[in-house]
């Protein structure tokens, strides 16, 4: 700590006192806390600078120093410190709200209003073969196979004709069975984007669907 840092030290002293009961502390205790906070050595030079800073603050009315060494923050400084803390808290809250608003806008611009990372806008879900599916546990459903080593069952379909529907899509991938279709549409107009996510009965059916992709 040096004389040049005097003005920079004052806010720390005010902050320490305002956080203490009654906004007052013994001057030696205050100095010790301040030096620890600023990671300053407790030597004669820094003690002298600290004393000058306290005297300066006493002169400008920021604090008062009693004969028995009790430093007390003035009411005006205490109010200012509380006001600054409240302002800082509001600033952080505003930053969080702005960040959330930007993220929401970004998702909307990307067409991912539902926030699932698909960039898909609105989605219309159907289960075309709900009555034709057989119960399969997850270990069997996602079991890796020859043409599907990762066992994936959820597929994305793009460049679909605008006349496609549950029936024509299910017929197209037959004998593989689709258990779930998520049609991707524009959130505002409801216009079909020509793409969808489909869930296949198992990894073998998914491999079959991938194998015929691109066919008419």
């Amino acid at each position: 700590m040096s004389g040049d840092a005097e003005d920079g030290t004052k806010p720390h002293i005010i902050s320490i006192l305002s956080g203490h009961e009654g906004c007052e502390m013994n001057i030696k205790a205050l100095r010790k806390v301040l030096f620890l906070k600023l990671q300053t050595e407790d030597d004669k030079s820094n003690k002298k600078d600290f004393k000058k800073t306290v005297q300066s603050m006493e002169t400008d009315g920021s604090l008062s120093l009693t004969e028995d060494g009790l430093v007390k923050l003035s009411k005006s400084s205490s109010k200012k410190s509380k006001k600054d803390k409240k302002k800082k808290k509001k600033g952080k809250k505003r930053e969080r709200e702005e960040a959330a608003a930007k993220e929401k806008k970004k998702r909307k611009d990307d067409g991912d209003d539902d926030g699932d990372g698909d960039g898909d806008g609105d989605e219309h879900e159907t289960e075309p073969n709900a009555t034709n599916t057989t119960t399969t546990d997850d270990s069997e459903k996602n079991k890796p196979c020859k043409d599907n080593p990762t066992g994936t069952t959820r597929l994305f379909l793009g460049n679909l004709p605008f006349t496609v529907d549950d029936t024509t899509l299910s017929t197209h991938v037959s004998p593989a069975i689709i258990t779930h279709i998520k049609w991707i549409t524009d959130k505002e107009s409801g216009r079909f984007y020509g793409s969808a996510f489909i869930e296949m009965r198992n990894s073998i059916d998914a491999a079959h669907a991938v194998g015929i992709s691109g066919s008419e």
Side-chain angles (χ1 to χ4, degrees):
M1 193 168 94
S2 65
D4 295 336
E6 183 179 303
D7 291 338
T9 305
K10 288 182 180 180
H12 292 292
I13 293 177
I14 293 174
S15 176
I16 293 169
L17 289 172
S18 63
H20 204 268
E21 185 177 354
C23 296
E24 59 184 31
M25 287 181 72
N26 177 275
I27 190 167
K28 290 183 178 180
L30 173 62
R31 185 181 65 207
K32 184 177 180 180
V33 173
L34 178 66
F35 284 4
L36 286 172
K37 185 176 183 180
L38 300 179
Q39 296 182 346
T40 302
E41 292 184 12
D42 191 1
D43 56 27
K44 288 184 179 181
S45 176
N46 287 327
K47 285 180 181 179
K48 187 176 181 180
D49 288 338
F50 169 75
K51 185 177 180 180
K52 285 182 179 180
T53 301
V54 172
Q55 290 174 342
S56 174
M57 294 179 72
E58 187 178 16
T59 301
D60 64 24
S62 298
L63 53 77
S64 61
L65 178 62
T66 63
E67 292 182 359
D68 56 355
L70 189 66
V71 182
K72 186 171 184 179
L73 197 63
S74 66
K75 290 184 178 180
S76 59
S77 294
S78 179
K79 287 180 180 179
K80 184 177 183 301
S81 178
K82 290 179 180 179
K83 186 177 180 181
D84 289 343
K85 287 182 178 179
K86 190 174 181 181
K87 186 177 180 181
K88 187 176 181 180
K89 188 175 181 180
K90 284 184 177 180
K92 289 183 177 180
K93 182 180 179 182
R94 190 182 301 112
E95 287 177 3
R96 289 195 297 268
E97 291 174 346
E98 289 176 353
K102 287 180 180 179
E103 180 62 24
K104 185 176 181 180
K105 184 178 183 299
K106 183 177 183 297
R107 288 201 304 266
K108 187 174 181 180
D109 291 342
D110 292 341
D112 186 22
D113 293 333
D114 54 4
D116 64 359
D118 293 335
D120 48 17
D122 200 15
E123 299 173 346
H124 174 63
E125 303 180 15
T126 58
E127 298 182 1
N129 292 294
T131 59
N132 297 328
T133 57
T134 56
T135 303
T136 306
D137 60 44
D138 290 339
S139 61
E140 288 296 321
K141 178 182 177 181
N142 298 106
K143 187 176 181 180
C145 61
K146 180 181 178 181
D147 297 317
N148 188 356
T150 60
T152 300
T153 56
R154 189 171 190 250
L155 306 174
F156 173 76
L157 304 179
N159 298 319
L160 296 172
F162 289 95
T163 55
V164 69
D165 57 21
D166 292 9
T167 302
T168 56
L169 186 56
S170 296
T171 300
H172 181 66
V173 300
S174 181
I177 294 177
I178 300 174
T179 61
H180 194 86
I181 300 176
K182 186 178 284 187
W183 301 106
I184 303 174
T185 59
D186 182 84
K187 187 175 181 66
E188 302 297 331
S189 66
R191 184 174 178 272
F192 179 45
Y193 278 154
S195 54
F197 284 96
I198 61 173
E199 184 72 32
M200 304 304 295
R201 177 179 54 178
N202 53 42
S203 57
I204 295 175
D205 283 0
H208 174 76
V210 171
I212 62 173
S213 64
S215 58
E216 295 298 328

